[in-house]
Amino acid sequence: MFKKIVCAVDGSRHALRAAEVASELAAKVGAKLIFLTVAKPIKMTEDVKRYMAAEHLTGSPQYVLDELTEQILDEAKACAHRCGVAKAVTEVKTGSPARTIVAFADSAGADLLVLGSRGLGDLEGMFLGSVSHKVTSLAKCTCMTVK
Ligand SMILES: Nc1ncnc2c1ncn2[C@@H]1O[C@H](COP(=O)(O)OP(=O)(O)OP(=O)(O)O)[C@@H](O)[C@H]1O
Ligand SMILES: [Mg+2]
């Protein structure tokens, strides 16, 4: 059975559902569980500076993003904890989401990748988002797309 499961989370309700399924499965089969978020580095462009000034935001925008990433992973970890997973860890990477998820799962030696069917995108009527579509095509291990 599965020994190492990577579950990709982006803060969407679909990804949270994927985290639930991955956690329940990991608890049942005694697999190690890794939650992965691929974050986007923010460039301090003139637009970002103007937005921050208008909203009276101080500090680095990366800080806000890091806080968000932490929240996403904390939520997933809490889910694993509720399901009784003893070995849930988290990982943050940057890059193109699909390629980074696939490369991470490969290098971690995962035998199952779990994703939501959709994410934070708002294109209505699509059954699969571009990340879940790409990951399913490119991954070397088994993928589960949670609906
Ligand atoms: N940046 C990310 N980091 C980790 N996992 C991600 C990331 N983006 C997407 N995922 C994973 O992929 C699943 C599907 O999200 P996807 O981005 O494909 O859908 P979408 O946002 O609805 O569509 P699109 O991004 O193409 O507009 C999510 O539920 C999550 O499991
Ligand atoms: Mg998306």
Side-chain angles (χ1 to χ4, degrees), residues 55-86:
E55 297 291 330
H56 307 292
L57 297 170
T58 52
S60 132
Q62 193 60 49
Y63 171 75
V64 178
L65 205 72
D66 291 346
E67 291 269 292
L68 269 178
T69 303
E70 206 168 298
Q71 271 176 30
I72 291 169
L73 291 170
D74 279 352
E75 199 175 37
K77 259 204 298 198
C79 175
H81 189 72
R82 278 196 303 277
C83 293
V85 179

PDB file of all heavy atoms in Angstrom, residues 55-86:
ATOM      1  N   GLU A  55      -3.462  51.320   0.652  1.00  0.00           N
ATOM      2  CA  GLU A  55      -4.100  50.516   1.714  1.00  0.00           C
ATOM      3  C   GLU A  55      -3.402  50.680   3.067  1.00  0.00           C
ATOM      4  O   GLU A  55      -3.700  49.938   4.013  1.00  0.00           O
ATOM      5  CB  GLU A  55      -4.085  49.031   1.314  1.00  0.00           C
ATOM      6  CG  GLU A  55      -4.889  48.705   0.061  1.00  0.00           C
ATOM      7  CD  GLU A  55      -6.389  48.850   0.267  1.00  0.00           C
ATOM      8  OE1 GLU A  55      -6.861  48.650   1.397  1.00  0.00           O
ATOM      9  OE2 GLU A  55      -7.089  49.186  -0.707  1.00  0.00           O
ATOM     10  N   HIS A  56      -2.451  51.601   3.131  1.00  0.00           N
ATOM     11  CA  HIS A  56      -1.671  51.838   4.363  1.00  0.00           C
ATOM     12  C   HIS A  56      -1.001  50.564   4.869  1.00  0.00           C
ATOM     13  O   HIS A  56      -0.991  50.278   6.065  1.00  0.00           O
ATOM     14  CB  HIS A  56      -2.557  52.429   5.468  1.00  0.00           C
ATOM     15  CG  HIS A  56      -3.301  53.639   5.036  1.00  0.00           C
ATOM     16  ND1 HIS A  56      -2.672  54.839   4.760  1.00  0.00           N
ATOM     17  CD2 HIS A  56      -4.614  53.835   4.768  1.00  0.00           C
ATOM     18  CE1 HIS A  56      -3.575  55.707   4.358  1.00  0.00           C
ATOM     19  NE2 HIS A  56      -4.768  55.128   4.347  1.00  0.00           N
ATOM     20  N   LEU A  57      -0.481  49.776   3.953  1.00  0.00           N
ATOM     21  CA  LEU A  57       0.209  48.538   4.347  1.00  0.00           C
ATOM     22  C   LEU A  57       1.705  48.832   4.466  1.00  0.00           C
ATOM     23  O   LEU A  57       2.272  49.510   3.607  1.00  0.00           O
ATOM     24  CB  LEU A  57      -0.009  47.439   3.295  1.00  0.00           C
ATOM     25  CG  LEU A  57      -1.452  46.990   3.099  1.00  0.00           C
ATOM     26  CD1 LEU A  57      -1.565  46.085   1.874  1.00  0.00           C
ATOM     27  CD2 LEU A  57      -1.947  46.250   4.331  1.00  0.00           C
ATOM     28  N   THR A  58       2.298  48.314   5.508  1.00  0.00           N
ATOM     29  CA  THR A  58       3.736  48.530   5.662  1.00  0.00           C
ATOM     30  C   THR A  58       4.458  47.176   5.653  1.00  0.00           C
ATOM     31  O   THR A  58       3.822  46.135   5.722  1.00  0.00           O
ATOM     32  CB  THR A  58       4.049  49.223   7.012  1.00  0.00           C
ATOM     33  OG1 THR A  58       3.414  48.478   8.039  1.00  0.00           O
ATOM     34  CG2 THR A  58       3.554  50.660   7.034  1.00  0.00           C
ATOM     35  N   GLY A  59       5.748  47.217   5.567  1.00  0.00           N
ATOM     36  CA  GLY A  59       6.541  45.980   5.559  1.00  0.00           C
ATOM     37  C   GLY A  59       6.631  45.394   4.171  1.00  0.00           C
ATOM     38  O   GLY A  59       6.290  46.042   3.183  1.00  0.00           O
ATOM     39  N   SER A  60       7.061  44.158   4.106  1.00  0.00           N
ATOM     40  CA  SER A  60       7.254  43.532   2.803  1.00  0.00           C
ATOM     41  C   SER A  60       6.006  42.749   2.403  1.00  0.00           C
ATOM     42  O   SER A  60       5.407  42.078   3.248  1.00  0.00           O
ATOM     43  CB  SER A  60       8.471  42.618   2.895  1.00  0.00           C
ATOM     44  OG  SER A  60       8.192  41.374   2.361  1.00  0.00           O
ATOM     45  N   PRO A  61       5.592  42.792   1.144  1.00  0.00           N
ATOM     46  CA  PRO A  61       4.419  42.008   0.737  1.00  0.00           C
ATOM     47  C   PRO A  61       4.679  40.519   0.892  1.00  0.00           C
ATOM     48  O   PRO A  61       3.764  39.737   1.074  1.00  0.00           O
ATOM     49  CB  PRO A  61       4.224  42.390  -0.731  1.00  0.00           C
ATOM     50  CG  PRO A  61       5.500  42.995  -1.172  1.00  0.00           C
ATOM     51  CD  PRO A  61       6.182  43.541   0.027  1.00  0.00           C
ATOM     52  N   GLN A  62       5.953  40.136   0.837  1.00  0.00           N
ATOM     53  CA  GLN A  62       6.291  38.721   1.011  1.00  0.00           C
ATOM     54  C   GLN A  62       5.867  38.228   2.392  1.00  0.00           C
ATOM     55  O   GLN A  62       5.445  37.090   2.562  1.00  0.00           O
ATOM     56  CB  GLN A  62       7.809  38.531   0.837  1.00  0.00           C
ATOM     57  CG  GLN A  62       8.215  37.079   0.687  1.00  0.00           C
ATOM     58  CD  GLN A  62       7.563  36.432  -0.524  1.00  0.00           C
ATOM     59  OE1 GLN A  62       7.594  36.987  -1.608  1.00  0.00           O
ATOM     60  NE2 GLN A  62       6.952  35.282  -0.341  1.00  0.00           N
ATOM     61  N   TYR A  63       5.920  39.151   3.355  1.00  0.00           N
ATOM     62  CA  TYR A  63       5.550  38.795   4.720  1.00  0.00           C
ATOM     63  C   TYR A  63       4.074  38.376   4.776  1.00  0.00           C
ATOM     64  O   TYR A  63       3.718  37.375   5.388  1.00  0.00           O
ATOM     65  CB  TYR A  63       5.818  39.985   5.648  1.00  0.00           C
ATOM     66  CG  TYR A  63       5.289  39.804   7.034  1.00  0.00           C
ATOM     67  CD1 TYR A  63       5.940  38.963   7.937  1.00  0.00           C
ATOM     68  CD2 TYR A  63       4.123  40.440   7.438  1.00  0.00           C
ATOM     69  CE1 TYR A  63       5.438  38.772   9.204  1.00  0.00           C
ATOM     70  CE2 TYR A  63       3.622  40.256   8.708  1.00  0.00           C
ATOM     71  CZ  TYR A  63       4.274  39.424   9.587  1.00  0.00           C
ATOM     72  OH  TYR A  63       3.757  39.239  10.839  1.00  0.00           O
ATOM     73  N   VAL A  64       3.217  39.164   4.101  1.00  0.00           N
ATOM     74  CA  VAL A  64       1.780  38.865   4.073  1.00  0.00           C
ATOM     75  C   VAL A  64       1.556  37.501   3.426  1.00  0.00           C
ATOM     76  O   VAL A  64       0.771  36.671   3.892  1.00  0.00           O
ATOM     77  CB  VAL A  64       1.016  39.964   3.295  1.00  0.00           C
ATOM     78  CG1 VAL A  64      -0.465  39.654   3.222  1.00  0.00           C
ATOM     79  CG2 VAL A  64       1.247  41.318   3.933  1.00  0.00           C
ATOM     80  N   LEU A  65       2.284  37.274   2.350  1.00  0.00           N
ATOM     81  CA  LEU A  65       2.144  36.024   1.616  1.00  0.00           C
ATOM     82  C   LEU A  65       2.612  34.834   2.455  1.00  0.00           C
ATOM     83  O   LEU A  65       1.989  33.770   2.469  1.00  0.00           O
ATOM     84  CB  LEU A  65       2.966  36.105   0.331  1.00  0.00           C
ATOM     85  CG  LEU A  65       2.475  35.189  -0.758  1.00  0.00           C
ATOM     86  CD1 LEU A  65       1.168  35.733  -1.297  1.00  0.00           C
ATOM     87  CD2 LEU A  65       3.487  35.092  -1.865  1.00  0.00           C
ATOM     88  N   ASP A  66       3.695  35.020   3.183  1.00  0.00           N
ATOM     89  CA  ASP A  66       4.212  33.944   4.036  1.00  0.00           C
ATOM     90  C   ASP A  66       3.214  33.600   5.134  1.00  0.00           C
ATOM     91  O   ASP A  66       3.046  32.439   5.496  1.00  0.00           O
ATOM     92  CB  ASP A  66       5.549  34.345   4.650  1.00  0.00           C
ATOM     93  CG  ASP A  66       6.643  34.408   3.604  1.00  0.00           C
ATOM     94  OD1 ASP A  66       6.428  33.906   2.495  1.00  0.00           O
ATOM     95  OD2 ASP A  66       7.705  34.981   3.890  1.00  0.00           O
ATOM     96  N   GLU A  67       2.554  34.648   5.667  1.00  0.00           N
ATOM     97  CA  GLU A  67       1.533  34.413   6.699  1.00  0.00           C
ATOM     98  C   GLU A  67       0.398  33.561   6.131  1.00  0.00           C
ATOM     99  O   GLU A  67      -0.096  32.656   6.779  1.00  0.00           O
ATOM    100  CB  GLU A  67       0.942  35.751   7.156  1.00  0.00           C
ATOM    101  CG  GLU A  67       1.885  36.603   7.937  1.00  0.00           C
ATOM    102  CD  GLU A  67       1.776  36.320   9.426  1.00  0.00           C
ATOM    103  OE1 GLU A  67       0.735  36.636  10.007  1.00  0.00           O
ATOM    104  OE2 GLU A  67       2.742  35.778   9.976  1.00  0.00           O
ATOM    105  N   LEU A  68      -0.003  33.893   4.915  1.00  0.00           N
ATOM    106  CA  LEU A  68      -1.084  33.155   4.255  1.00  0.00           C
ATOM    107  C   LEU A  68      -0.690  31.703   4.035  1.00  0.00           C
ATOM    108  O   LEU A  68      -1.474  30.791   4.279  1.00  0.00           O
ATOM    109  CB  LEU A  68      -1.381  33.788   2.895  1.00  0.00           C
ATOM    110  CG  LEU A  68      -2.441  34.859   2.868  1.00  0.00           C
ATOM    111  CD1 LEU A  68      -2.562  35.417   1.456  1.00  0.00           C
ATOM    112  CD2 LEU A  68      -3.789  34.267   3.288  1.00  0.00           C
ATOM    113  N   THR A  69       0.523  31.503   3.559  1.00  0.00           N
ATOM    114  CA  THR A  69       1.022  30.154   3.302  1.00  0.00           C
ATOM    115  C   THR A  69       1.017  29.347   4.597  1.00  0.00           C
ATOM    116  O   THR A  69       0.614  28.179   4.613  1.00  0.00           O
ATOM    117  CB  THR A  69       2.461  30.233   2.739  1.00  0.00           C
ATOM    118  OG1 THR A  69       2.426  31.033   1.577  1.00  0.00           O
ATOM    119  CG2 THR A  69       3.002  28.870   2.397  1.00  0.00           C
ATOM    120  N   GLU A  70       1.428  29.988   5.662  1.00  0.00           N
ATOM    121  CA  GLU A  70       1.456  29.310   6.958  1.00  0.00           C
ATOM    122  C   GLU A  70       0.046  28.898   7.382  1.00  0.00           C
ATOM    123  O   GLU A  70      -0.173  27.806   7.889  1.00  0.00           O
ATOM    124  CB  GLU A  70       2.062  30.253   7.990  1.00  0.00           C
ATOM    125  CG  GLU A  70       2.713  29.532   9.148  1.00  0.00           C
ATOM    126  CD  GLU A  70       3.545  30.490   9.977  1.00  0.00           C
ATOM    127  OE1 GLU A  70       4.498  31.063   9.448  1.00  0.00           O
ATOM    128  OE2 GLU A  70       3.182  30.679  11.138  1.00  0.00           O
ATOM    129  N   GLN A  71      -0.922  29.820   7.135  1.00  0.00           N
ATOM    130  CA  GLN A  71      -2.318  29.521   7.503  1.00  0.00           C
ATOM    131  C   GLN A  71      -2.835  28.311   6.725  1.00  0.00           C
ATOM    132  O   GLN A  71      -3.518  27.448   7.273  1.00  0.00           O
ATOM    133  CB  GLN A  71      -3.200  30.703   7.165  1.00  0.00           C
ATOM    134  CG  GLN A  71      -3.311  31.721   8.280  1.00  0.00           C
ATOM    135  CD  GLN A  71      -4.134  32.922   7.830  1.00  0.00           C
ATOM    136  OE1 GLN A  71      -5.020  32.809   6.993  1.00  0.00           O
ATOM    137  NE2 GLN A  71      -3.816  34.075   8.389  1.00  0.00           N
ATOM    138  N   ILE A  72      -2.517  28.281   5.435  1.00  0.00           N
ATOM    139  CA  ILE A  72      -2.977  27.174   4.577  1.00  0.00           C
ATOM    140  C   ILE A  72      -2.437  25.851   5.109  1.00  0.00           C
ATOM    141  O   ILE A  72      -3.157  24.856   5.237  1.00  0.00           O
ATOM    142  CB  ILE A  72      -2.490  27.402   3.115  1.00  0.00           C
ATOM    143  CG1 ILE A  72      -3.214  28.592   2.491  1.00  0.00           C
ATOM    144  CG2 ILE A  72      -2.676  26.147   2.272  1.00  0.00           C
ATOM    145  CD1 ILE A  72      -2.623  29.052   1.164  1.00  0.00           C
ATOM    146  N   LEU A  73      -1.157  25.846   5.462  1.00  0.00           N
ATOM    147  CA  LEU A  73      -0.534  24.605   5.918  1.00  0.00           C
ATOM    148  C   LEU A  73      -1.001  24.228   7.329  1.00  0.00           C
ATOM    149  O   LEU A  73      -1.163  23.042   7.638  1.00  0.00           O
ATOM    150  CB  LEU A  73       0.993  24.725   5.844  1.00  0.00           C
ATOM    151  CG  LEU A  73       1.523  24.770   4.406  1.00  0.00           C
ATOM    152  CD1 LEU A  73       3.000  25.121   4.377  1.00  0.00           C
ATOM    153  CD2 LEU A  73       1.288  23.431   3.689  1.00  0.00           C
ATOM    154  N   ASP A  74      -1.253  25.230   8.161  1.00  0.00           N
ATOM    155  CA  ASP A  74      -1.755  24.946   9.516  1.00  0.00           C
ATOM    156  C   ASP A  74      -3.124  24.267   9.445  1.00  0.00           C
ATOM    157  O   ASP A  74      -3.427  23.348  10.208  1.00  0.00           O
ATOM    158  CB  ASP A  74      -1.891  26.242  10.328  1.00  0.00           C
ATOM    159  CG  ASP A  74      -0.560  26.682  10.899  1.00  0.00           C
ATOM    160  OD1 ASP A  74       0.412  25.904  10.796  1.00  0.00           O
ATOM    161  OD2 ASP A  74      -0.476  27.807  11.424  1.00  0.00           O
ATOM    162  N   GLU A  75      -3.943  24.765   8.521  1.00  0.00           N
ATOM    163  CA  GLU A  75      -5.288  24.214   8.338  1.00  0.00           C
ATOM    164  C   GLU A  75      -5.200  22.739   7.920  1.00  0.00           C
ATOM    165  O   GLU A  75      -5.936  21.892   8.425  1.00  0.00           O
ATOM    166  CB  GLU A  75      -5.974  25.028   7.238  1.00  0.00           C
ATOM    167  CG  GLU A  75      -7.462  24.925   7.206  1.00  0.00           C
ATOM    168  CD  GLU A  75      -8.042  25.879   6.159  1.00  0.00           C
ATOM    169  OE1 GLU A  75      -7.433  26.061   5.086  1.00  0.00           O
ATOM    170  OE2 GLU A  75      -9.107  26.423   6.421  1.00  0.00           O
ATOM    171  N   ALA A  76      -4.278  22.450   7.002  1.00  0.00           N
ATOM    172  CA  ALA A  76      -4.101  21.070   6.531  1.00  0.00           C
ATOM    173  C   ALA A  76      -3.578  20.186   7.662  1.00  0.00           C
ATOM    174  O   ALA A  76      -4.033  19.057   7.852  1.00  0.00           O
ATOM    175  CB  ALA A  76      -3.148  21.047   5.339  1.00  0.00           C
ATOM    176  N   LYS A  77      -2.633  20.724   8.425  1.00  0.00           N
ATOM    177  CA  LYS A  77      -2.061  19.936   9.532  1.00  0.00           C
ATOM    178  C   LYS A  77      -3.119  19.630  10.590  1.00  0.00           C
ATOM    179  O   LYS A  77      -3.147  18.541  11.162  1.00  0.00           O
ATOM    180  CB  LYS A  77      -0.897  20.697  10.171  1.00  0.00           C
ATOM    181  CG  LYS A  77       0.446  20.175   9.690  1.00  0.00           C
ATOM    182  CD  LYS A  77       1.566  20.447  10.664  1.00  0.00           C
ATOM    183  CE  LYS A  77       1.799  21.911  10.894  1.00  0.00           C
ATOM    184  NZ  LYS A  77       3.087  22.243  11.466  1.00  0.00           N
ATOM    185  N   ALA A  78      -3.982  20.610  10.852  1.00  0.00           N
ATOM    186  CA  ALA A  78      -5.051  20.398  11.833  1.00  0.00           C
ATOM    187  C   ALA A  78      -5.962  19.273  11.369  1.00  0.00           C
ATOM    188  O   ALA A  78      -6.441  18.462  12.173  1.00  0.00           O
ATOM    189  CB  ALA A  78      -5.842  21.689  12.020  1.00  0.00           C
ATOM    190  N   CYS A  79      -6.182  19.220  10.083  1.00  0.00           N
ATOM    191  CA  CYS A  79      -7.028  18.179   9.497  1.00  0.00           C
ATOM    192  C   CYS A  79      -6.374  16.805   9.704  1.00  0.00           C
ATOM    193  O   CYS A  79      -7.038  15.849  10.113  1.00  0.00           O
ATOM    194  CB  CYS A  79      -7.193  18.511   8.006  1.00  0.00           C
ATOM    195  SG  CYS A  79      -8.061  17.303   7.088  1.00  0.00           S
ATOM    196  N   ALA A  80      -5.075  16.729   9.456  1.00  0.00           N
ATOM    197  CA  ALA A  80      -4.344  15.465   9.652  1.00  0.00           C
ATOM    198  C   ALA A  80      -4.405  15.045  11.122  1.00  0.00           C
ATOM    199  O   ALA A  80      -4.603  13.869  11.443  1.00  0.00           O
ATOM    200  CB  ALA A  80      -2.898  15.626   9.195  1.00  0.00           C
ATOM    201  N   HIS A  81      -4.266  16.026  11.972  1.00  0.00           N
ATOM    202  CA  HIS A  81      -4.280  15.752  13.408  1.00  0.00           C
ATOM    203  C   HIS A  81      -5.634  15.168  13.823  1.00  0.00           C
ATOM    204  O   HIS A  81      -5.700  14.185  14.563  1.00  0.00           O
ATOM    205  CB  HIS A  81      -4.000  17.067  14.156  1.00  0.00           C
ATOM    206  CG  HIS A  81      -3.781  16.864  15.618  1.00  0.00           C
ATOM    207  ND1 HIS A  81      -2.632  16.285  16.120  1.00  0.00           N
ATOM    208  CD2 HIS A  81      -4.561  17.138  16.678  1.00  0.00           C
ATOM    209  CE1 HIS A  81      -2.732  16.209  17.423  1.00  0.00           C
ATOM    210  NE2 HIS A  81      -3.882  16.729  17.794  1.00  0.00           N
ATOM    211  N   ARG A  82      -6.728  15.782  13.308  1.00  0.00           N
ATOM    212  CA  ARG A  82      -8.084  15.300  13.622  1.00  0.00           C
ATOM    213  C   ARG A  82      -8.267  13.852  13.174  1.00  0.00           C
ATOM    214  O   ARG A  82      -8.985  13.083  13.798  1.00  0.00           O
ATOM    215  CB  ARG A  82      -9.135  16.162  12.908  1.00  0.00           C
ATOM    216  CG  ARG A  82      -9.472  17.445  13.605  1.00  0.00           C
ATOM    217  CD  ARG A  82     -10.772  18.034  13.055  1.00  0.00           C
ATOM    218  NE  ARG A  82     -10.776  18.271  11.624  1.00  0.00           N
ATOM    219  CZ  ARG A  82     -10.276  19.337  11.028  1.00  0.00           C
ATOM    220  NH1 ARG A  82      -9.714  20.275  11.745  1.00  0.00           N
ATOM    221  NH2 ARG A  82     -10.328  19.484   9.723  1.00  0.00           N
ATOM    222  N   CYS A  83      -7.611  13.511  12.059  1.00  0.00           N
ATOM    223  CA  CYS A  83      -7.766  12.153  11.511  1.00  0.00           C
ATOM    224  C   CYS A  83      -6.814  11.168  12.171  1.00  0.00           C
ATOM    225  O   CYS A  83      -6.793   9.989  11.813  1.00  0.00           O
ATOM    226  CB  CYS A  83      -7.525  12.156  10.003  1.00  0.00           C
ATOM    227  SG  CYS A  83      -8.784  13.046   9.105  1.00  0.00           S
ATOM    228  N   GLY A  84      -5.982  11.650  13.073  1.00  0.00           N
ATOM    229  CA  GLY A  84      -5.085  10.748  13.798  1.00  0.00           C
ATOM    230  C   GLY A  84      -3.817  10.384  13.050  1.00  0.00           C
ATOM    231  O   GLY A  84      -3.236   9.325  13.283  1.00  0.00           O
ATOM    232  N   VAL A  85      -3.374  11.261  12.114  1.00  0.00           N
ATOM    233  CA  VAL A  85      -2.106  10.994  11.407  1.00  0.00           C
ATOM    234  C   VAL A  85      -0.953  11.405  12.318  1.00  0.00           C
ATOM    235  O   VAL A  85      -0.884  12.548  12.762  1.00  0.00           O
ATOM    236  CB  VAL A  85      -2.012  11.789  10.084  1.00  0.00           C
ATOM    237  CG1 VAL A  85      -0.689  11.516   9.373  1.00  0.00           C
ATOM    238  CG2 VAL A  85      -3.172  11.451   9.178  1.00  0.00           C
ATOM    239  N   ALA A  86      -0.061  10.462  12.560  1.00  0.00           N
ATOM    240  CA  ALA A  86       1.053  10.752  13.470  1.00  0.00           C
ATOM    241  C   ALA A  86       2.161  11.523  12.758  1.00  0.00           C
ATOM    242  O   ALA A  86       2.837  12.352  13.360  1.00  0.00           O
ATOM    243  CB  ALA A  86       1.587   9.450  14.039  1.00  0.00           C
TER     244      ALA A  86
END
